[in-house]
Amino acid sequence: MSSPTTTTPSVASRRPVLSDPGYQAFVVLRAGFAVAPILFGLDKFANLLVDWPTYLAPWINDIVPGSAQQAMYAVGVIEIVAGLAVALAPRFGGWLVAGWLAGIIVNLLTIPAYYDIALRDFGLLLGAVALARLAQRYHGKRQSP
C-alpha cells in the first residue's frame, strides 16, 4: 500500500522572486530612494541642478546658524545618509526619508511660490512610506536563485 505523501514548500519557493509584483515594487522603490537622495545630497554642494538655497524658507534661514548655502551643506549630508540608510536598512530608511520629506514639505508650504513642489514631495513621501511597508514584508528575503 502506498501512503499519501505530503509535500512542504521548499525554503526557496517561499522567497520572493523578481516575478512577484510586490517584490518588484520593493526593489524599484529601494533603488530609487537610495540613489535619488544621495544624488540630490551631493548636488547640495555643487548647485548644478538648481540653486538650492532658494528652497530654504526665510524663517528657517533666520533660525539656522550660518548662511542658506551652509544650511544646504548640512541638508546634503542628511540626504546622503538617508539614501545610504535606504540602501542598507530599508525598513528604517524608508521611514527616515518619509520624515525628511515631511520636513521639506513644511518648509516649502511656507514659501508661496513652491506649493507645486510641496505637492510633488507629498507624492514622494507616500512612495517612501510604501517602501517602508514593503521592506517590512520582504525584510531579510533575497531573490531566489
Side-chain angles (χ1 to χ4, degrees):
M1 295 203 177
S2 67
S3 63
T5 59
T6 59
T7 59
T8 57
S10 69
V11 173
S13 68
R14 286 183 270 155
R15 290 186 186 147
V17 294
L18 282 178
S19 62
D20 172 8
Y23 191 67
Q24 290 172 358
F26 169 67
V27 169
V28 168
L29 289 169
R30 184 177 189 178
F33 281 108
V35 172
I38 292 170
L39 291 178
F40 290 134
L42 289 171
D43 194 54
K44 299 298 189 289
F45 295 89
N47 290 313
L48 295 174
L49 298 173
V50 69
D51 183 24
W52 291 109
T54 63
Y55 287 86
L56 187 64
W59 69 273
I60 294 177
N61 192 31
D62 290 343
I63 61 173
V64 297
S67 68
Q69 182 58 58
Q70 290 169 328
M72 286 298 124
Y73 295 149
V75 167
V77 169
I78 292 166
E79 290 177 347
I80 292 167
V81 168
L84 292 172
V86 167
L88 300 173
R91 287 191 312 163
F92 168 74
W95 291 113
L96 177 64
V97 169
W100 184 248
L101 284 163
I104 291 171
I105 291 165
V106 168
N107 170 72
L108 292 171
L109 287 175
T110 63
I111 309 172
Y114 295 116
Y115 296 145
D116 56 336
I117 299 169
L119 180 60
R120 181 214 51 206
D121 284 354
F122 180 71
L124 289 170
L125 182 148
L126 296 177
V129 169
L131 167 65
R133 297 301 299 138
L134 286 167
Q136 182 69 34
R137 166 77 168 88
Y138 295 107
H139 174 68
K141 298 180 181 179
R142 304 257 184 227
Q143 176 186 347
S144 62

